[in-house]
Structures are given as C-alpha cells and as structure tokens.
Amino acid sequence: MQKMGKQKNKTASFSFWNWVIASIIFRLILIYFPKNLNLASRPEVSTPLTSFRRLAEGYWLKQLSMSPYAGSMYHGSPLLLSLLGPLTVKRIEGQPNHLLYSLVSVIADVVSAILIRATGKNLRLAYLRSLESLDIVKQTKASGEFFKILSPGDAAALIYLWNPFTIVACVGLSTSPIENMAVILCLYGACSRLVPLAAFGWVIATHLSLYPAILIIPVIFLLGCGPDAPPRKLFLQKNDKEEVLNKSKLPLGFSWRPITHFAFWALLWSAYVLVLCGISLKQFGGLWEMFKSTYGFILTVEDLSPNIGVLWYFFAEVFDFFRNFFLIVFHVNILFMIMPLAIRLNHRPCFLAFVYIAIFSMLKSYPSVGDSALYLGLLGWFVNELADIQFSFFLFCGYVGVSLLSPVMHTLWIWRGTGNANFYFATAMVYACLQIILVVEGVSAMLNHDRKLRNLTTSKPQDAKS
Amino acid sequence: MAETKETSEKDEKPKPRVRPIVRLGIFLISHSVLVSVVCCTAGVLALFLLPVLAKNTYISENALMPGSASPMLSYQHVSDGNRLVKDLTNLDLKSSETGIESQRVIAQYMLELGAEVSFHKFHAQLNQFHPLHFFSSPDSGVIQENFSCSSYGINTVGIIRAPRGDGKEAIVLVTPYNALKSGLGEAVSVGIAYSVFSLLTQVTWLAKDVIWLVADSRYGEYAAVAAWLRDYQIPKFSSLSTLNSEMCPDINNLYDLKVNSIAGSKYSNSFRRAGTMAAALVLKVGDQSEQYEDTISIYAEASNGQMPNLDLINVVNYLAVHRQGLRVQVEKLWSLLNSSWLKSLGEIFESLGKVAKSLNPEWKFGIPATEYVEGTATLASSLYYQALGVPTGPHGAFRDYQVDAITLEISPKYSLDKFRRNDILLRGGRLIEGVIRSVNNLLEKFHQSFFLYLLTSPSKFVSVGVYMIALALLIAPLPMVAASLYVDANSLDSKTNKSTPSTIADTAERGITIRSWRWLYSAKLVFAVHVWGAIVSLLPYFICQIPDCSSTISFMIWVVLSMISLLTLYSVLASPFSCNNASQEKEWALVKSVTISYVFIGLGLMSVINFATAEIGALLMVPMCLLARPLKFDLRAGSLRSFSRMVCNLVLGLIAFPPAAFFLLKGMLEDFGSVNIGDFWMWVESLWAWNSATYIFIGMVYLPCWVLCVHILLHTC
C-alpha cells in the first residue's frame, strides 16, 4: 500500500482529495458485501476488545438492564456502548445491516487521515526549519528535491487510508478505527501544541485500550521541546564552531509550562471520563466492575481464543502456577523498552511514538490488524528520514505473505481440520518477527539519518575550503 | 539417489566454513544460478522419485481393529437384500414414470426393519459461479431461488438408533439411486446396503447411529448428497421447507398417504437427525469390470485436493484384500502405463536400487520397474484430481463438513446374474459391515493418520513430509534469485550513477535515497498485473449472464475482454516500456525480482491450500520465471548460450500460456483431433462451478506471472 500512496504522489497530476474520495468509495463498495466477506468474524480483525458482535451484545445486556460486562462478552468502554451501541441495532430498510455503524468507522478513518496529514505537515515544517538552522539545506537539496513532491503528510495519510489493514478493520466493523483516531488525535494535539486536545486524545485512547498510556512520554517530549528535530547536540556543536551566538536558531529548551498544562487537562479529562462511566454503570457494579473487566481483562489475558499475537498460544500452554509470573514478564517487557528508547530518541518524539505504538501493537494481549494499520500509517511521516531503510522490499513481501497466509492457516486449522494450532501460530510468530525487524531497521535508519546530518554539518567547512 | 547426492553436495559447500548465517545467505545469493539449476533438477528428480519413496500404509489408530471380529452377515440378510433388488427391478419394468414408487418400496423395507424413516425433499441446485464464494464459509452458499415443482429430488433416509450409544455420533452409508433410470448396479448397491442395514438392526455392538441415505441421483449424485448434508448440518430456521410443501402439495400427499397407510409409527414427516458423523461411505456397484477379479475402486479426492483420513482407506483396503478377497484399485492415468520413457526411468531406478543393495543390504531402496510405472500412473492421477479441485464423487460433499468419506465402487467379475449377485451381496455386505464395525469402535474422530498424502497404490502412500521436499526444492531458488537480482540491480544502479561526472555528491545522495525504495515502481507494475488477473477471473461471471452463448463464443469474448483490460491497464499505469531515464536500465531486473517474490508467495500459499496445484504450477512457472530475460539482450549477445536461452524462453512462454498448456495436455492425454477451442471454457466453467481454488490460482497467480514474464521478454531497454 505504501506503494500506492507513494506512486500517486509522484505523478504531477496528483490530487490528494481524489484519492481520499476513492478510498471512501472503495470502503462503501466493500460495506455492501458484508455477508460474503464475513470480515467481522475474522480473528485478525475482531479481537475480544474490538469485536462488533461483542459490542452489540453489551448493548443488548444494557438495554435489558443487566451489567454489560455480564457473561464476559463485552470488554470495552461503557462510553462506546452509549455512543455506538444504538447504531448496532438501527437498521435502514433495503440497506446493509450495519450501515450506520460502518459509516462511523469510515468517518473515523477519514478524520484520522486528515489529522495525520496535518501532523505530517507540521513535522515537515519542523524538519525544514531544523535543516535551515543547521545550514545544510543545500547538501540535502538532492534528497529534498525527491521529497518535496512527496510531502510526508500526504504520504502518511494515503498510506493510512489505503492500507488493506485499515480497510479490513474498517469494513470488518471493529472498533479499532475509533481507538486509532484517539491516538492520532493525541499526537496531533501534541504536535500542534493544542494541550487540551492532546490531553483529551491521550485520556480517551488510554481509556479505550490502555496501552496508549505509554504515549505520555512522547507527548511530554513533544510539548516540552517541540516536534522532531536532529539531536540538540548538533545545534550546540554548530554554534560552538561558528562562535556566533545565534539564539534564534537554537531549538527551544525543555519548557515545563505546557507539561503542567497537559497534566492539568489530563486530570480534568480523566475525571470527566470516569464520572461519565460511573454514571452509566451506576446500577451495574460501578467503576470497579469496569476496571476489572476492561483493564483486568487486558492485563490477565483471560481470553485465549486465537489471534495474530503471540500471547494466546503461550498462555494456553503455560502451567497455571507460572501464569502470574509470565503475565508480569510479558507486560514488563513493554515497560522495559520505554526508558532506553526514550533516552535515545528523545529528540524525535513523533518517531518515538511510532516505535512505542509498533512495540505495543506487537506485544499487546489482543492485537488486531487495526493496530498494525496505525503504526504503518505513522511510518509515512518519516519518509524523508527512513528513505534508506534496509530490507524494505523484504519487509513488504513479508507483510503481504503473512497477511495472506494467516487466514489460510486459520481455515486449515478451523474449517478443514487438516492443520492444527501450530500452523496458525507459526504465522503469528513470523508476523511478530517482521514487526521486530521493522522496528529495529526503522530505529537504525533513523539513527543513521542523524549521523548523516552530523557528517554534513561537520564536513561543510572542508567543502568550503576545497 | 542422484537427487540426494546433489542436495548433499549443495549442503556441503557452505558447511566447511562455519560462518554466520548472513554469510551463508550471501554465498547462496552470489551463486544463485548454480543453486537454482541444482535445486530445480533436484526438485524434478524428487518428484519422479516419489513412487520409490512411498511407504506402505498401516493402520495408525489402534481402536479401529479392522477384521478382528468375524463377519455376522449371513445368507439370511443376503436373501433379504436380494428380495429388495428383485422388487426394485420389477418396479422398473412395470412403471418408471415418477420414480416415487421405488422410493416408497425402499422406505417400506426400512420401516419393516424398525428403522426411523423420513423423506428429504430438495431442489436441484444449479452450480453457479459466484465470485465471492471463495471467501465465505460453506453455510452462506445457499442460494435461494424459485424452483418449480418439477425439479424436486427426494432422498430416502433411514436411521438406526444404536442400542449402546447416546445418539451423539453417527455413521453414514450412502447409496445413490436414480429412480427414473436405474441400472441393475444401482439396485444391487441398494441391496447390499439393505442387507447390511438389516443386520445392523439386530446387532448389539452398535455404539453409533447408522444413517442410510438413498440419494436421489436424478440431478447428479453429488447434488443430492450435498443438499441433504446442508440441511443436516445447518438447521434452517427460515420457512423455506414449509413453503416447499405448500408449493407442491401433490407430491407430499402422495407420500404421506401411502407410507402412512403401510406402517405408521416410525415414519416421520420432519427432517431426522442423528449425531455428528464419524465417517461416511458411498457405495456404488459398477458394471462388469475389465479385470479378471472382483474389484473395488476407491475414490477419495474431495474439493480442493482434500483427502479423507488415510486410516479410512486403510481399513477398507485391509478388509477388502485380506478378508473378502477383493482386488482394490485407485484411479490411474492409463495413458502413462504404456509410456516407454517411464519404463526406462523405472529400470534405472531399479538398477540403482540393486546397486545400493549390493553396497549395503540394509538399504531397501528401489522397486521393480513395472511397479514403478504403476505407482507413477497412480500418483499422476492422484495429483491430477487433487489439482483439479473437483471432487471425484458424492463423498466430496462430506469433506466440506470435516467428515471423512470415500466412495467405493464394486465392479464384479461377471455380469450380475442371480447366483453371482448373491456372492457380490455377501462380500460387499461383509466389507461394509467390517468397515462400519471398525468405525464404530472409534472413540474420537479420525485424527491419527494422515490427511495430507498422495496415493501411489491402494496400500502405498507418500506423506506430506516427503512430497513437500520436491516442491520445496523446486521453489527454493526463487527467493535467492529474487534477492540476487535485487542486489545486482541496486549495485549496478549506484555504479552507473557514480560514473557520471556531474555533481557526484548529489547523485550519490540521490542514489541512496531512491535506491531502497526503487522497487516500488516494479511493485506497482506487478500489482497492476495482479489486479488485471483479478478482473480476468471475475469476467466469466458476467459472460455467463449472456444468454445463448456457446462455449467457443464465450471463450472468445473472454479473451478479447481480457486483452482490452490489459491494454487499458498498461496505458493507464505509466507505460512500463519507456526507459528514458538511465537509472531505469536495469528496470527489468527489478521487475523480475518482484515478480519472482510474488510467485514465491503465491506458490507457498497454494502449496498449503492445495499441494497438487502448486506442484504442477511450479513445474511450469519456476523455469519460466527463472529464465526470463529480455530477448533483446540475448539477440545482441549472439552466443550459443544466449541463443539456447532465448529458444527456451520462447518455448516456455508459448507452452505456459494457460489455454495453450491446457490444449497441449489434453492433446497429449487424449487426442489432438478432438481438441476444441470451447473445451477450455468448459473446463474453466467446471472449475468455478466447484469453487475450486485452482481457478483462483490460475487467475490471480499463474496468469499474472505469465504476463509479467512475457513483459520481461519483450522489454526493450
């Protein structure tokens, strides 16, 4: 899909909005074949957390004035029930059953794409500004020429919109488009320094799927020192060398003001969300019940039905008395990576966010293709920096191969009965490996890019001499 | 032997140097030509070695215990069966207008035994191509349309409840019977089933219910069985069934009155069910066999190359051979039996085996040449039917619901006159009884033995672990060649860029930035061609809607529309032939690299879905992909090597075109005179009618690959 986005960018008569409209039309066409595609029942699309069927079930339970969490069917937020629940039962005569709900997903996708585009524009401006302040615009002109046409915002938005994973998640009626929108809202708000918006996005994303909580670190960096730039050291070195104290060219130092703002707003929003949840769950056990069956369900990996992650298989095999230990190990695994990455990539908070999202969508307890769609879309922001990423072709083929092989293996196991769980789990492992390679190569390409910039700044005087 | 030698040779090369895996990969990639030649020949050789490597079958599930009990079917039961056969044949002589009469007779016989009887009415469902069927689960395949009363079929179902069971499991016995036009064979098969059925009502050991389905085969055997299975497995909550009876009251009334008047209590109007099916046997009695013995043919291939559990075939084979003295056979490609090259190949293998044995008597390698030829013929037909993806009989319907089923066709030595008939009834009945008794012992569903195998004779098989080697060797060069081409294209590109004197820094910079994403252009082309492939495979759905179209004309329309769509796609997506840019010079290498990667993914996927299709496809596609190189280069070079490569390319490009390959194969197997252009259309129609994945493979993997290879051949830069 990256291919499509990029390709279209190249052509002179490129029109971003045409492609957006085309993607909407494509989604609508697919929505009109719900029975035949049967995407909503695919394990790749709907996990226990994002499944449409479970949402509808939760809504029905609530309508019958029972707790929506009764029977371990629904594990999402009570707010989603109130917002999307009515759409699960509303039908229009002569139209597909869940048209209204699908339309909400489509709108969520488009909004996410627009936000990604706006953020991408911000990032590009920041990139150009930093190049300017380093006086290496000329050196990078060649690459700039290549990427001027290819603005990262457009690329990222189109990659997000046309990624088959996004399309499948949208047409498969899962709630991940909305979760993704919350994450993107948070990043957009942080990038364009709209503190209340960022706080709102962060609170909602955390509320919906817990894992985006760790995005607080990139958000703090974003608010504190602005969007992605080359390492601060570089600017300082340069200023030392030229011995011209040009303060205006220095990037801003870390400022605490927006962060206190953010903390305030985050507190406010979370209190608000909790109050709303509390009201809607008043008769059904209150907030504690909600925490137990949403966050508790995520953290204890209760549902071991197969998905594209690696945890279900492991916890199906593991002995019961080791279970708690391994639960801790697996979740700490995510937390372990937070600090080193934050230290190494603190000058590039958006990229840091991308890496975090990729990591938790690989290690989360119920991953779906919707999560991959998010980080693959965000990858488009860094087309300039990641231009010389290694193994790009291999990764692309790997993603194509795995996403085709995984349903086939699932069919072989469940429907034909000639395969077994190992077949399906093998594809899940390959998928996890691919994601690891993507993250590793992405990070190393980014560091190489920084190195290249440093070389350019330091080698400039020599060029001038010659 | 030769193959193993070669592979070991290949393995040994990198072995002495103990280096990281990356070095190994680089080594393999840099020697990709040699590796691919070695791997491909080894793959083809391994395919021909499969009959030699076949293992004897064995009964893997201990609970089956075939033949451990002596058969209980006596002459009493046989004479009962014979009585039914006589009644049926007499009925045929008397009146054959509706066929209802014979169904009534069968039902009456069943009722007399104390079985539960019901009739199942179904519509003959036309096999229709629906483009989205491939992605949906079996239940959504029900197309409900208006049928007239004339297209009714009526299955008769008898169920014996097991005295020792809890009604959770069942064994199914199917006898196709066409009431309108029944031969003696069908009547005898019903007779055999009846004699077994009458025995089973009396036995005490039965732990699973037995369902006897007399499938009304006037609209085809498969359709009847499939319709019954669909209603059995997927309870209908809609009002369709009641609607049916309202629509056609006369048929229903006729039934109810007559049957009710005869017996009463155990007849039911509604659909009767027993438990989940453990296994199903379809029994047919064919015409006189050409062999000099009573033979029994086993048909096992279900849709998309799925096979029943090998244990089921083993049990039948064991009981037929060792207990009933029947000769068991599976399908063969008869035309291969007389081919001389296969015979000589068999002799080579035989002598090789002898040499191996003289070296070490422990090595039991090599089989007699005649056996090899027979094994190859069986293997070829096994591959062919699996690759076709069309079930070889009504048993195919069961496999869609994960029920293991086979069709047994008994062909007697002499014609079915009265004395011989008793013998066939007795032996056939005892065989069926034995199989049912074995399956009855089963505690779980069949799972012990293989599901993925190829038969080389009724008692020999090649398991998935062995035959996958052949395919793996065949497609192993693909990723390596793709990688080496990719690396070559990139390094050449940067070299040419550096050699240009103007603005070295800029171009170097640019080379880096573009290089890692340059494959996107080729990927775009490949993607476009695959989209075209999808369009081409959807076109027949629309062509079908044209009324009164002969197969030849439909085929022509299809070809023309495909060409038009290809040309438009080419013109819309910036013409790939243009090479104004110097860096595009190696474009074809990248296109080839991407093509090969996608072929690898496609073949890998298909090998999981349907091995046989992947194997046959790989035999054609792998050489075509690996050899493809712009003809212009070979013409320019003018050496013998490039000339031979050019000839190879041209020949492969011609042969591998799907219709050409089809006509060539058909001509080789049958006769070139009988080949008709419309045949291809008919063949394709049968593929999609059966929802065969082979159709998708041809449309979405094979055809795009062929087009891309031709594109590379015609590349002008």
Side-chain angles (χ1 to χ4, degrees), chain A residues 195-220:
Chain A
V195 178
L197 191 66
F200 176 74
W202 182 74
V203 167
I204 291 293
T206 309
H207 173 63
L208 290 181
S209 53
L210 181 64
Y211 289 95
I214 58 172
L215 290 182
I216 192 165
I217 294 170
V219 167
I220 285 175

Side-chain angles (χ1 to χ4, degrees), chain A residues 80-129:
Chain A
L80 276 186
L81 276 187
S82 325
L83 288 174
L84 298 177
L87 299 181
T88 60
V89 286
K90 213 162 255 170
R91 260 155 224 185
I92 302 171
E93 216 34 61
Q95 302 290 330
N97 280 345
H98 308 300
L99 183 69
L100 285 174
Y101 182 82
S102 328
L103 285 180
V104 170
S105 312
V106 173
I107 292 167
D109 268 358
V110 173
V111 169
S112 310
I114 292 168
L115 290 178
I116 287 179
R117 188 172 182 235
T119 316
K121 276 188 177 155
N122 262 337
L123 284 177
R124 181 161 167 269
L125 282 179
Y127 182 67
L128 288 180
R129 210 182 308 132

Side-chain angles (χ1 to χ4, degrees), chain B residues 305-546:
Chain B
Q306 301 181 74
M307 299 290 276
N309 197 293
L310 188 56
D311 265 346
L312 188 60
I313 296 178
N314 289 344
V315 169
V316 171
N317 184 43
Y318 179 84
L319 288 173
V321 173
H322 296 289
R323 290 290 181 273
Q324 305 306 326
L326 292 162
R327 192 189 134 90
V328 179
Q329 64 177 23
V330 285
E331 274 293 271
K332 279 179 205 153
L333 270 189
W334 296 100
S335 56
L336 275 182
L337 281 181
N338 300 322
S339 68
S340 51
W341 63 272
L342 208 58
K343 229 171 257 171
S344 48
L345 194 65
E347 274 155 16
I348 292 170
F349 283 137
E350 191 183 351
S351 52
L352 268 178
K354 273 179 192 154
V355 170
K357 206 167 195 174
S358 68
L359 289 175
N360 186 350
E362 294 276 295
W363 290 347
K364 293 208 173 56
F365 175 82
I367 51 172
T370 49
E371 206 177 305
Y372 175 79
V373 172
E374 282 209 1
T376 314
T378 316
L379 184 77
S381 101
S382 197
L383 270 176
Y384 173 72
Y385 284 112
Q386 286 193 19
L388 216 52
V390 176
T392 48
H395 60 267
F398 285 95
R399 189 59 235 178
D400 292 341
Y401 302 95
Q402 288 196 32
V403 181
D404 297 295
I406 51 173
T407 297
L408 304 174
E409 186 171 1
I410 302 174
S411 321
K413 180 163 53 168
Y414 305 108
S415 63
L416 290 163
D417 57 7
K418 295 216 170 103
F419 304 104
R420 290 291 308 154
R421 200 192 294 163
N422 275 342
D423 182 42
I424 285 293
L425 280 176
L426 185 71
R427 284 161 78 186
R430 283 186 167 169
L431 171 66
I432 302 293
E433 183 210 335
V435 176
I436 287 180
R437 192 155 189 181
S438 275
V439 176
N440 184 54
N441 291 337
L442 212 56
L443 296 176
E444 302 160 275
K445 57 184 282 194
F446 279 107
H447 68 281
Q448 277 277 354
S449 198
F450 294 91
F451 282 102
L452 306 168
Y453 56 91
L454 295 165
L455 288 174
T456 61
S457 88
S459 61
K460 280 194 156 190
F461 75 105
V462 185
S463 80
V464 55
V466 177
Y467 67 60
M468 267 297 177
I469 294 174
L471 182 70
L473 280 173
L474 205 55
I475 63 175
L478 293 180
M480 278 178 235
V481 172
S484 87
L485 276 172
Y486 181 75
V487 171
D488 273 3
N490 280 334
S491 59
L492 268 176
D493 178 48
S494 57
K495 242 183 250 166
T496 50
N497 265 350
K498 264 176 193 151
S499 62
T500 51
S502 63
T503 55
I504 292 169
D506 275 16
T507 42
E509 191 68 30
R510 189 158 179 227
I512 289 167
T513 45
I514 301 174
R515 193 166 66 189
S516 76
W517 293 102
R518 248 192 60 201
W519 53 269
L520 278 175
Y521 300 99
S522 319
K524 183 188 80 168
L525 175 71
V526 173
F527 178 74
V529 175
H530 277 85
V531 168
W532 171 75
I535 291 170
V536 169
S537 22
L538 282 182
L539 279 177
Y541 175 63
F542 300 106
I543 298 174
C544 270
Q545 317 283 332
I546 304 170

Side-chain angles (χ1 to χ4, degrees), chain B residues 160-233:
Chain B
I160 305 173
R161 301 289 172 189
R164 294 190 168 215
D166 50 1
K168 296 272 170 63
E169 286 177 301
I171 304 168
V172 186
L173 187 60
V174 182
T175 48
Y177 184 76
N178 187 350
L180 293 180
K181 183 175 63 87
S182 76
L184 185 58
E186 278 188 337
V188 172
S189 71
V190 172
I192 293 174
Y194 177 72
S195 55
V196 176
F197 207 62
S198 66
L199 167 75
L200 292 178
T201 50
Q202 298 157 9
V203 295
T204 51
W205 44 259
L206 205 61
K208 293 182 166 73
D209 299 348
V210 174
I211 306 173
W212 177 21
L213 171 69
V214 182
D216 188 352
S217 61
R218 70 180 85 175
Y219 305 111
E221 294 161 358
Y222 184 90
V225 176
W228 177 74
L229 264 175
R230 197 163 42 235
D231 287 347
Y232 189 97
Q233 302 282 4

Side-chain angles (χ1 to χ4, degrees), chain B residues 500-674:
Chain B
T500 51
S502 63
T503 55
I504 292 169
D506 275 16
T507 42
E509 191 68 30
R510 189 158 179 227
I512 289 167
T513 45
I514 301 174
R515 193 166 66 189
S516 76
W517 293 102
R518 248 192 60 201
W519 53 269
L520 278 175
Y521 300 99
S522 319
K524 183 188 80 168
L525 175 71
V526 173
F527 178 74
V529 175
H530 277 85
V531 168
W532 171 75
I535 291 170
V536 169
S537 22
L538 282 182
L539 279 177
Y541 175 63
F542 300 106
I543 298 174
C544 270
Q545 317 283 332
I546 304 170
D548 306 327
C549 210
S550 80
S551 57
T552 315
I553 295 172
S554 310
F555 179 61
M556 291 302 180
I557 295 174
W558 193 21
V559 170
V560 169
L561 283 179
S562 314
M563 297 283 278
I564 292 171
S565 54
L566 183 64
L567 288 178
T568 44
L569 259 178
Y570 253 52
S571 54
V572 166
L573 290 160
S575 61
F577 284 110
S578 68
C579 48
N580 38 15
N581 197 338
S583 66
Q584 304 268 309
E585 196 176 312
K586 271 283 183 178
E587 186 68 33
W588 71 270
L590 271 182
V591 171
K592 187 174 164 181
S593 162
V594 178
T595 308
I596 287 177
S597 320
Y598 283 95
V599 167
F600 181 69
I601 292 175
L603 284 175
L605 265 182
M606 201 59 205
S607 73
V608 179
I609 299 170
N610 188 348
F611 166 78
T613 312
E615 175 72 48
I616 294 173
L619 282 177
L620 280 168
M621 283 158 83
V622 169
M624 183 170 67
C625 286
L626 291 183
L627 280 174
R629 193 182 146 83
L631 290 175
K632 212 174 162 192
F633 289 162
D634 284 341
L635 271 177
R636 231 181 270 159
S639 69
L640 185 67
R641 186 167 159 229
S642 59
F643 181 73
S644 56
R645 182 166 53 203
M646 197 175 74
V647 171
C648 277
N649 270 330
L650 284 176
V651 170
L652 272 173
L654 266 180
I655 289 178
F657 182 51
F662 171 78
F663 290 130
L664 210 69
L665 248 158
K666 201 172 158 64
M668 254 161 43
L669 290 179
E670 289 164 24
D671 182 26
F672 275 105
S674 66

